[in-house]
Amino acid sequence: VTSDSGKQTNLHENIFTYRKEAQVRPVVAFGSTLYGTSAMNKTVKTLQEQGYSMVAGINGSFFDRSTGIPYGIVVTNSILRSGGSANAVGFLADGSALIGDPVVAVTLDYGADTPLLLNYNKAMTTQNGVLLYSQDYDTRTKNTIEGYHVIVRPVGSRAAELRLGQTLTVEVVGMVEDTKSCSIPDDGFLLAVANDTAYKSALTALKSMVMGQQMTIQVTCASGWENVTSAAGGGDMLVENGQVCTDFTLDSAKKMAARTAIGVTRDGSLILYTCDEAGNSDGLTLAQLAERMLALGCQTALNLDGGGSTAAGVTYPGYASGATANVPSDGKLRECANFIFLVRQKQDAGTASKLYLYPFGGYALPGAKLTMTVKAADSSYMAAAVPTNVTFGGTNVTQTSGSTVTVEPGAR
């Protein structure tokens, strides 16, 4: 790679290419709540509890380091978990992807001439108007400034869930005044606004609500996004309509840094990409990242959180658990707001159909020996037992056990 100054630099990158298939699909996942961050391996365990196993994964949304709250939207299992106005990547049930601005808006029709615009599952400030919370955020709001709160619950048998392109009727069941950290009901929502809000009319609107009052929450979005089953917000667009983008807003756009990106090729394949700024790798600028995503065939591509957040995990063929594939800038993987995974349904392994030798490569001093381990996978790349009748041979190659091979100098 050539830097902006013309200097030749090194680059370590991980590229996962996904083509739509029934057994594997992309999903977005986060920890138990939006508030706080989660390690990739812990998030994988959450997926495993839901009956999935990881094929590969990368980190997702930009987020507030103090709260862990993602800046853009989050959708999992077709449920909107957090709002936001950033560009995003969304996945449909068949594994195809959308990248762009989902134009998601959450509004509350409470009987006035103009509905209230709601910030869904975000931290309270004096500048962001009316907040709406569910327990996807946490059990409490954990805000640092006092606010006025209205407790609402869905009318009838509807669950306390928001979905893109749908409406939900709720009823006022309580109010809580002058509280920083307010409890969020597990069967409803919490409306909130700062006491010192810059939007005094919004505070007046919430204080005018009465017990038993029914209101409608509406979630609108750009066409096609109402069908996404999972989504995560990102940052600057890197490639649009097969052309690299050049107008970047990220403060580190011109810096060589670790990067994470996602793109869609002309044939609909999904590209999950990371590069490192650690070890023997110098990272990329956003302009270089855009060129790289275009070179990989992306017609559309989105920048995701990078730097110390950059993470790439993979379950190598023949292994039952995942491993870190990149070299983290912080020396270890950072806990993040959410992750984008390629997953498959957990199942019992079938008969071995492919064999793999590990490590992929190695170095040895003259006269030394390398020991390589044999792993097996079934036709779905699930770890399988190594057949007992497998034999290995070659010049200076010794099979020391059923699954171990020793390679001596001069081996072929």
Side-chain angles (χ1 to χ4, degrees), residues 173-405:
V173 297
M175 296 86 169
V176 181
E177 300 184 46
D178 303 331
T179 300
K180 292 181 180 179
S181 183
C182 187
S183 293
I184 303 171
D186 59 0
D187 58 351
F189 301 91
L190 189 70
L191 290 163
V193 64
N195 286 344
D196 294 329
T197 179
Y199 303 94
K200 299 302 182 182
S201 61
L203 178 60
T204 301
L206 261 64
K207 287 189 173 182
S208 72
M209 296 174 183
V210 297
M211 294 290 289
Q213 180 178 349
Q214 292 193 2
M215 305 175 288
T216 301
I217 301 173
Q218 182 175 26
V219 184
T220 58
C221 61
S223 178
W225 284 84
E226 68 275 6
N227 297 317
V228 302
T229 57
S230 60
D236 290 313
M237 294 295 297
L238 299 169
V239 181
E240 287 188 282
N241 300 317
Q243 301 293 320
V244 295
C245 300
T246 56
D247 186 16
F248 304 122
T249 61
L250 189 64
D251 55 2
S252 66
K254 295 182 179 180
K255 177 186 176 184
M256 301 285 283
R259 304 288 182 183
T260 305
I262 191 165
V264 178
T265 65
R266 187 181 298 276
D267 67 0
S269 296
L270 189 67
I271 303 293
L272 279 63
Y273 178 91
T274 70
C275 70
D276 295 327
E277 187 199 11
N280 192 33
S281 181
D282 297 301
L284 294 172
T285 66
L286 277 196
Q288 290 172 328
L289 179 61
E291 292 284 358
R292 187 70 183 106
M293 296 303 284
L294 180 67
L296 291 171
C298 293
Q299 291 293 295
T300 309
L302 176 69
N303 184 47
L304 299 173
D305 193 11
S309 296
T310 291
V314 63
T315 301
Y316 290 104
Y319 282 86
S321 59
T324 302
N326 71 309
V327 182
S329 298
D330 292 349
K332 63 178 181 179
L333 290 181
R334 175 185 291 174
E335 293 188 354
C336 294
N338 52 58
F339 299 89
I340 298 170
F341 292 109
L342 300 176
V343 300
R344 60 185 165 221
Q345 292 282 346
K346 288 181 69 176
Q347 60 190 34
D348 294 333
T351 304
S353 66
K354 301 177 181 67
L355 297 177
Y356 302 88
L357 281 173
Y358 292 99
F360 292 122
Y363 299 92
L365 295 172
K369 299 179 181 180
L370 287 176
T371 298
M372 306 185 75
T373 301
V374 183
K375 296 286 186 179
D378 65 12
S379 58
S380 299
Y381 292 94
M382 293 287 291
V386 177
T388 57
N389 60 344
V390 174
T391 59
F392 299 86
T395 304
N396 294 336
V397 175
T398 304
Q399 184 170 348
T400 54
S401 72
S403 60
T404 305
V405 178

Side-chain angles (χ1 to χ4, degrees), residues 57-245:
I58 58 174
N59 63 294
S61 302
F62 290 85
F63 62 96
D64 186 320
R65 291 288 299 276
S66 64
T67 64
I69 300 301
Y71 293 134
I73 69 167
V74 177
V75 176
T76 66
N77 297 321
S78 300
I79 300 169
L80 180 66
R81 311 293 183 175
S82 185
S85 58
N87 293 316
V89 55
F91 305 113
L92 305 180
D94 66 355
S96 56
L98 301 173
I99 294 179
D101 186 354
V103 199
V104 172
V106 182
T107 57
L108 178 71
D109 184 349
Y110 64 109
D113 293 336
T114 304
L116 287 172
L117 182 64
L118 306 178
N119 280 304
Y120 188 41
N121 282 334
K122 304 297 183 184
M124 178 186 288
T125 71
T126 59
Q127 300 296 319
N128 61 358
V130 181
L131 289 302
L132 178 70
Y133 293 100
S134 73
Q135 278 208 351
D136 285 326
Y137 185 89
D138 210 320
T139 57
R140 304 186 69 86
T141 60
K142 299 183 178 180
N143 288 317
T144 58
I145 57 177
E146 289 190 343
Y148 184 84
H149 306 80
V150 177
I151 304 168
V152 299
R153 289 195 177 97
V155 173
S157 59
R158 292 283 298 276
E161 300 171 347
L162 298 185
R163 295 175 184 265
L164 296 177
Q166 297 188 16
T167 61
L168 181 67
T169 301
V170 296
E171 180 179 349
V172 176
V173 297
M175 296 86 169
V176 181
E177 300 184 46
D178 303 331
T179 300
K180 292 181 180 179
S181 183
C182 187
S183 293
I184 303 171
D186 59 0
D187 58 351
F189 301 91
L190 189 70
L191 290 163
V193 64
N195 286 344
D196 294 329
T197 179
Y199 303 94
K200 299 302 182 182
S201 61
L203 178 60
T204 301
L206 261 64
K207 287 189 173 182
S208 72
M209 296 174 183
V210 297
M211 294 290 289
Q213 180 178 349
Q214 292 193 2
M215 305 175 288
T216 301
I217 301 173
Q218 182 175 26
V219 184
T220 58
C221 61
S223 178
W225 284 84
E226 68 275 6
N227 297 317
V228 302
T229 57
S230 60
D236 290 313
M237 294 295 297
L238 299 169
V239 181
E240 287 188 282
N241 300 317
Q243 301 293 320
V244 295
C245 300

Side-chain angles (χ1 to χ4, degrees), residues 14-67:
N14 288 283
I15 304 165
F16 305 122
T17 302
Y18 166 76
R19 297 177 180 86
K20 287 190 296 183
E21 61 167 281
Q23 292 183 329
V24 177
R25 65 187 182 94
V27 300
V28 174
F30 58 94
S32 57
T33 61
L34 292 165
Y35 194 99
T37 53
S38 180
M40 177 178 273
N41 61 346
K42 290 185 178 179
T43 310
V44 169
K45 289 182 179 178
T46 301
L47 286 171
Q48 291 172 342
E49 292 170 358
Q50 299 173 8
Y52 298 107
S53 60
M54 180 190 77
V55 177
I58 58 174
N59 63 294
S61 302
F62 290 85
F63 62 96
D64 186 320
R65 291 288 299 276
S66 64
T67 64

